[in-house]
Amino acid sequence: MTMASSSTRRGWGFLAPAVLWTLAFFVAPFTIMAAMSLASLEGRELVWAISFDNYHKLFTQPFLTKAIWVSLQITLTVTVISVLLAYPLAWIIAFRVPKRWQRLVLLLSILPFWTSYVVRSYSWLLVMSREGVINNSMLSLGLISEPLQMASSRLATVTGFVHFFVMLLTLTIFANLVQLSPNYRRAAVDLGASSWQAFRHVILPLTMPGIMVGAFLTFVLCIGDYITPQILGGNNELTVPQVIMMQLGRRGDFPLASAMSLVLMGLVTLAYIATARWLRLDRI
């Protein structure tokens, strides 16, 4: 046995567990789900026959099409708002907070991650309810004459998502900002650029990898989330994960749920393709 073949076999030995794990827990379930999406449910009987009726339903039945649009609207809104809030926060931590305090500030920033996701969602439900902190405060100040309906709405869902994802984006953007040399900005200013021009043409392009990595993670986690829309949305506007759970729990329609899951994965894939040029972790 040559040295090269021995090294090759040893390399495959190290690689085999990861390959088997991927085959067992991604490729096999994905194949089964894809095959299931081509089946159909007739009454209570599952018919294994190649059919694209489930995909046809997704784009012809209004409540299914609306669920896709609602998911996209909420996800894009959350992503944009989170980026706009996280960038200034990351900038302040990176360039305005003394280095000896940065770790403490970052620790305080990730405190929301220490709380259960379900607990955070229910906390926002209590805060935004008709008798919650916000309504009671505005009533006591005379700003409103009767409680506002904030819970069980898209506003509540977006607020709950933003509360979580702002911190995630802050971390990815901060990691990018601290790697920038201050000489970039100084060089731009020396060449006649204003502070805004230096930021727009130098700093912002160099921090796009951090922004896009955080935005992509936000998109993926948000569009596939079931808990926050279910708790804070109040079933007034159903998202794709909620409709999938309804098909599974109430109708037992596994083929239609599988088709919706594949469409959801398709949307995530399109988001990845759109941001792929920035999604190199070695640039963050």
Side-chain angles (χ1 to χ4, degrees):
M1 182 182 299
T2 64
M3 185 72 69
S5 61
S6 177
S7 298
T8 300
R9 292 182 62 181
R10 186 165 55 251
W12 277 108
F14 286 119
L15 189 62
V19 173
L20 293 175
W21 181 275
T22 303
L23 290 173
F25 296 102
F26 178 76
V27 176
F30 179 83
T31 303
I32 294 172
M33 187 170 64
M36 180 70 73
S37 70
L38 298 177
S40 58
L41 188 68
E42 296 183 3
R44 293 290 182 178
E45 184 179 354
L46 184 64
V47 179
W48 289 95
I50 297 178
S51 172
F52 293 94
D53 288 345
N54 294 313
Y55 294 97
H56 183 262
K57 291 178 183 178
L58 288 179
F59 300 103
T60 55
Q61 294 191 5
F63 84 97
L64 295 176
T65 305
K66 183 179 179 181
I68 296 174
W69 282 113
V70 168
S71 291
L72 283 174
Q73 290 167 6
I74 291 176
T75 301
L76 293 176
T77 302
V78 169
T79 303
V80 171
I81 294 176
S82 298
V83 169
L84 293 178
L85 293 177
Y87 200 101
L89 179 57
W91 181 279
I92 291 171
I93 297 174
F95 300 123
R96 294 294 181 264
V97 176
K99 289 188 178 297
R100 65 178 181 274
W101 296 108
Q102 285 183 356
R103 290 186 178 181
L104 176 60
V105 174
L106 287 173
L107 180 63
L108 295 175
S109 299
I110 64 174
L111 280 179
F113 292 99
W114 295 10
T115 309
S116 168
Y117 198 55
V118 177
V119 171
R120 284 198 304 271
S121 297
Y122 275 113
S123 298
W124 275 111
L125 183 63
L126 294 175
V127 169
M128 304 183 75
S129 64
R130 292 181 63 84
E131 297 181 357
V133 175
I134 297 177
N135 271 318
N136 286 337
S137 298
M138 290 194 294
L139 284 170
S140 62
L141 294 173
L143 299 178
I144 57 176
S145 58
E146 58 182 21
L148 301 176
Q149 180 59 46
M150 292 180 290
S152 301
S153 65
R154 182 180 296 194
L155 172 64
T157 301
V158 171
T159 302
F161 275 134
V162 169
H163 172 234
F164 178 79
F165 291 119
V166 161
M167 296 301 102
L168 177 65
L169 273 156
T170 298
L171 294 177
T172 60
I173 296 173
F174 171 83
N176 210 168
L177 286 173
V178 294
Q179 295 184 24
L180 294 182
S181 171
N183 293 328
Y184 290 130
R185 182 179 177 279
R186 294 170 186 165
V189 172
D190 288 342
L191 292 173
S194 64
S195 297
W196 166 247
Q197 290 173 328
F199 170 77
R200 179 183 175 185
H201 296 291
V202 179
I203 303 301
L204 183 59
L206 290 174
T207 54
M208 283 301 291
I211 296 173
M212 287 301 175
V213 167
F216 176 71
L217 291 175
T218 299
F219 185 94
V220 172
L221 296 174
C222 184
I223 200 169
D225 190 276
Y226 167 77
I227 296 175
T228 298
Q230 183 69 17
I231 295 175
L232 295 176
N235 288 329
N236 291 325
E237 284 187 319
L238 296 178
T239 61
V240 173
Q242 288 176 288
V243 175
I244 290 175
M245 292 301 296
M246 288 177 61
Q247 299 304 315
L248 295 175
R250 297 183 183 181
R251 301 185 66 243
D253 195 342
F254 285 85
L256 182 57
S258 298
M260 295 193 72
S261 300
L262 288 179
V263 169
L264 201 60
M265 292 183 66
L267 294 175
V268 172
T269 302
L270 291 176
Y272 174 79
I273 293 173
T275 57
R277 57 178 293 193
W278 292 287
L279 298 184
R280 287 177 51 192
L281 297 180
D282 59 333
R283 298 176 60 185
I284 302 177

